[in-house]
Amino acid sequence: MTDLLITPFEHPFMTRALIEIVILGALSAAVGVLVMLRRLAFLTDALTHAVFPGVVVGFMIGGTDGIVPGALLVAGLAAAGFTALASTRRISEDAAMAMLLTGCFAVGVVLVSRRESYTADLTGFLFGRLLTVNTTDITVTAVTAAVAGTVLLLARKELLLRAFDPQGAHAAGYPVWLLDLVLNLVIAMVVVAAVRAVGTVLVIALVVIPAAAARLLTGRLTSVLVVAVLLGPLSGWLGLVISYDASVHHDVRLAAGAAVVLVLVSIYGLVLAGSALRSWAARSRAARRRTRAGSGGAEGPGRPRAVGGPRELSREAV
């Protein structure tokens, strides 16, 4: 079993893929905690589609070297456009995200349909090519992670205040629209960093699922962040191992990026089942205690005290 977990990474391409997915997993999970607090999962999905025209234009102009600059430019414009639309009282956030998703993705489809060889060239950027990443891709991801991590660290208190109490943040004099723009740009950076590895379709899983699973395991915000940042890279490692073993030893072609996402979904399913089982056991114990207390006359009638309910996230700073 130990050999299975280590041997695949004796190959240089597997080592590069592991480094890439570990960095992406940790970065996406950290940003995903704020996405969860702000309930912006749909925005992440919208941005994954919004960067597609940037991928297409960048590829048309500069080939594979132009993909990241093109995607980054369009992602930044899309994040700014969403922030501007959502800041107006006449348009809801859901409507703004829907317009962003459909409009930008439609532009990408129109552009890509103009190329005769678009299927072979650009499909990989929808679903990712994790095993073909090179040192340049790793460098871009590492720089993105460093910039995004620095922004989150410097603005963590303000972003948390905005997430928990937007009216309080506004009353305290913080520019709420600017905080929204900062977070949206960070999300856009994560999406762009993951374009080459897992594709624009699967990146939302890296952002949302680790934070959601961590939230089921703990109610403390700091603990949620730590658990999520651990789950992201761990799922990437296991996904690569499963993909390698299925392809090499069982002659089953299994895309590495999809395998990583399937591992994430499986972990979330196990955590969800464990959480439901704990809640059921806690309710059963509480019911037995109430039954014993009622039969012994120790407690009078009244509303039973809730036991084992979900805890709320604390408002401590990350």
Side-chain angles (χ1 to χ4, degrees), residues 77-133:
L77 293 175
F82 168 76
T83 304
L85 287 173
S87 63
T88 64
R89 295 175 180 249
R90 295 184 178 181
I91 302 176
S92 66
E93 288 190 352
D94 290 343
M97 284 185 275
M99 288 187 286
L100 177 68
L101 187 156
T102 55
C104 291
F105 195 71
V107 172
V109 172
V110 170
L111 291 174
V112 81
S113 64
R114 305 290 297 175
R115 290 183 56 86
E116 296 180 357
S117 60
Y118 72 92
T119 301
D121 291 336
L122 293 169
T123 301
F125 299 105
L126 287 173
F127 305 105
R129 292 174 179 172
L130 182 56
L131 299 182
T132 65
V133 297

Side-chain angles (χ1 to χ4, degrees), residues 268-280:
Y268 180 80
L270 291 174
V271 172
L272 181 62
S275 177
L277 184 61
R278 288 197 308 271
S279 297
W280 175 82

Side-chain angles (χ1 to χ4, degrees), residues 51-74 108 111-112 115 121-122 125 195:
V51 302
F52 187 56
V55 171
V56 176
V57 172
F59 184 82
M60 289 179 173
I61 295 176
T64 56
D65 293 335
I67 289 173
V68 172
L72 187 60
L73 176 62
V74 173
L111 291 174
V112 81
R115 290 183 56 86
D121 291 336
L122 293 169
F125 299 105
V195 163

Side-chain angles (χ1 to χ4, degrees), residues 261-273:
V261 173
L262 288 176
V263 170
L264 279 169
V265 173
S266 299
I267 290 176
Y268 180 80
L270 291 174
V271 172
L272 181 62

Side-chain angles (χ1 to χ4, degrees), residues 22 25-26 29-30 210 214 223-236 264 267:
V22 165
S223 300
V224 169
L225 178 63
V226 172
V227 173
V229 170
L230 291 176
L231 282 179
L234 176 63
S235 300
L264 279 169
I267 290 176

